[in-house]
Amino acid sequence: MEGATIHGDSTMTLGDITFQTASYKLSPAQAAFFKTQTGIHDDEDLKRHILEVQAKAYKAAPYPCIHRFGFLRLNLSNFAVYEHILKLGRERSDAVLLDIGCCFGVDARKAAADGFPAKNIIASDVVEEFLQLSHELFKTTPASYPGSLLPGDIFDPEFLSIATPSVDVFPAPAIDLSSLKSLSPLHGRVSAINAIAFFHLFNEEKQLYIARALAGLLSAQPGSVICGLDNGAVEKGTITNNLSGVEYQGFAHSPESWSSLWDGEVFEKGTVKVETKLAEIPIDDKGHLMTMMMWSVTRL
């Protein structure tokens, strides 16, 4: 496959890429999860199934995360805030979990498997084919999986309009997520938002736009949380990264600039708790590292 792809505001040349199954590797936790979810317990059969879905997804949108099997990661369940999110699902009758920029919605499926009510989970991506392939990957149908899969562009105000963060701490009436055609009806209703590997696809201006858009969705009830994992830097600015020989540039916030964006610019200062952590994370089996920032924004 030849050519270039633009993912958000990050540009990269993919060149002549041949899928290499050597990069396919499931951790014990991933293997157990996908075997349980798909009902495919033979390792080679599972690998064949995943490769078939991967090929269809790459044809729909040739993103590096598809080529490098990034869509198989159980990212959210590795966050310290994950148990808190599951607790919100258990204790709030109106709790809604939004998985934004979800690809196949693997984090959403994992949360459902771990007890967050699936009917209260909505996974959204701009690539509609990814959502269709979610059912193929997990061998489900809209009838068998009660979670909602909603395609849409977060920059389209018809899909999600900007709203001032809610100050109403009273629980909102339940809403049928399966009936939604856009995210705007969820203003002030969402208890938890998973935005892992989403913000860093865009430039600084668009990251602020997304933050405002998601803030308008978040419930004012204390403990409501937005979390993510993105490219980070000691000082905010343009960074250059290399993914398996593919070089791209993008914008990265520092912990300080990210905290001030949420606490004081997006939300009224002092009304949220922002936690950030920079870490050097391996991105391949050759020892290449990437500076990433794990973060969460919790309403007080």
Side-chain angles (χ1 to χ4, degrees):
M1 300 179 185
E2 297 183 352
T5 185
I6 298 177
H7 196 167
D9 290 297
S10 301
T11 62
M12 58 195 73
T13 300
L14 297 178
D16 185 11
I17 291 181
T18 302
F19 283 99
Q20 299 292 329
T21 59
S23 58
Y24 171 88
K25 184 178 180 180
L26 295 181
S27 68
Q30 287 174 301
F33 173 70
F34 283 104
K35 287 179 179 180
T36 299
Q37 293 296 302
T38 64
I40 303 173
H41 296 283
D42 179 81
D43 290 332
E44 286 304 312
D45 287 345
L46 180 61
K47 178 179 179 179
R48 188 178 304 108
H49 172 67
I50 289 174
L51 289 175
E52 288 174 354
V53 175
Q54 179 204 32
K56 293 178 181 179
Y58 197 83
K59 184 177 180 180
Y63 295 162
C65 61
I66 300 297
H67 179 252
R68 299 175 60 251
F69 297 99
F71 62 90
L72 297 177
R73 295 176 187 151
L74 306 176
N75 287 310
L76 183 58
S77 61
N78 291 317
F79 274 46
V81 76
Y82 184 60
E83 289 303 319
H84 171 69
I85 290 173
L86 295 181
K87 184 179 180 182
L88 292 177
R90 291 193 300 269
E91 297 183 354
R92 290 186 187 177
S93 60
D94 63 326
V96 173
L97 168 60
L98 170 64
D99 189 1
I100 190 74
C102 69
C103 192
F104 299 143
V106 170
D107 281 335
R109 300 276 188 155
K110 173 63 172 168
D114 289 341
F116 200 105
K119 66 180 179 63
N120 291 347
I121 298 176
I122 185 166
S124 180
D125 200 284
V126 69
V127 182
E128 186 171 0
E129 291 88 343
F130 286 168
L131 302 180
Q132 295 167 352
L133 287 169
S134 175
H135 282 302
E136 184 169 339
L137 176 62
F138 287 97
K139 301 182 78 67
T140 57
T141 67
S144 66
Y145 175 65
S148 296
L149 304 174
L150 183 64
D153 184 350
I154 197 171
F155 296 106
D156 179 0
E158 294 296 317
F159 182 69
L160 177 57
S161 59
I162 301 293
T164 301
S166 174
V167 294
D168 185 359
V169 298
F170 293 100
I175 186 170
D176 178 10
L177 299 184
S178 66
S179 68
L180 294 181
K181 303 300 181 184
S182 72
L183 289 176
S184 292
L186 292 176
H187 282 145
R189 292 173 171 267
V190 181
S191 295
I193 301 175
N194 171 31
I196 290 173
F198 185 55
F199 277 86
H200 68 203
L201 302 176
F202 307 98
N203 63 26
E204 183 176 11
E205 181 182 4
K206 288 184 177 179
Q207 288 191 29
L208 175 58
Y209 181 96
I210 295 170
R212 293 190 186 282
L214 295 182
L217 292 173
L218 198 63
S219 167
Q221 294 182 71
S224 300
V225 63
I226 306 174
C227 63
L229 176 70
D230 295 284
N231 290 335
V234 175
E235 295 185 6
K236 76 171 187 175
T238 300
I239 60 169
T240 300
N241 277 322
N242 189 298
L243 291 175
S244 302
V246 178
E247 189 173 278
Y248 77 99
Q249 290 187 326
F251 176 81
H253 270 283
S254 69
E256 291 76 17
S257 66
W258 194 238
S259 294
S260 63
L261 180 148
W262 289 98
D263 185 15
E265 190 168 1
V266 173
F267 289 100
E268 183 179 345
K269 191 166 182 61
T271 62
V272 294
K273 177 183 180 182
V274 183
E275 296 182 280
T276 61
K277 180 180 180 181
L278 283 181
E280 297 292 323
I281 296 179
I283 58 174
D284 56 31
D285 56 5
K286 298 179 181 179
H288 295 132
L289 301 175
M290 182 181 293
T291 302
M292 301 294 288
M293 181 170 62
M294 182 180 289
W295 57 271
S296 63
V297 179
T298 307
R299 299 205 68 166
L300 299 175

